[in-house]
Amino acid sequence: FIGARVGSRHLRGVADQLARIPEIGVVALVTGRHNLFLFANTAGRENLVTILNRIRRLPGVHEIECWDFVRTCGFDYHLGLIDAGAEG
């Protein structure tokens, strides 16, 4: 997981750029300390560092923080995108 704090005028552009990186599977605008949340699936630590450095160099990125899984205690594989326009 990666959290990023991005300047508001750069946020959508940074999010769009990051969504095109194959190793990044989730790009979400969020509330809280960070305003951008990313989930990256990398081949190893060196690849993760490469992606983190790539994120750091983007204009408007002020801070990034990375968390690694220690142990997965539960995961709901049924999670999915909820369409705000869907009825039900």
Side-chain angles (χ1 to χ4, degrees):
F1 293 111
I2 302 167
R5 190 169 53 83
V6 181
S8 59
R9 61 177 219 187
H10 295 281
L11 186 57
R12 292 302 297 255
V14 168
D16 290 342
Q17 290 179 64
L18 295 175
R20 290 192 291 271
I21 297 174
E23 294 90 349
I24 297 179
V26 174
V27 177
L29 306 180
V30 297
T31 60
R33 177 176 167 183
H34 301 97
N35 55 3
L36 192 60
F37 172 82
L38 313 166
F39 178 78
N41 186 14
T42 62
R45 298 260 183 211
E46 288 182 26
N47 187 233
L48 175 61
V49 169
T50 299
I51 290 171
L52 293 174
N53 288 334
R54 187 171 174 184
I55 296 167
R56 279 188 186 99
R57 288 192 301 267
L58 293 173
V61 174
H62 301 295
E63 173 188 355
I64 63 171
E65 187 172 355
C66 182
W67 302 274
D68 200 359
F69 286 104
V70 174
R71 179 185 328 154
T72 302
C73 300
F75 187 82
D76 185 349
Y77 292 94
H78 297 99
L79 290 174
L81 181 64
I82 298 172
D83 183 357
E87 295 182 31

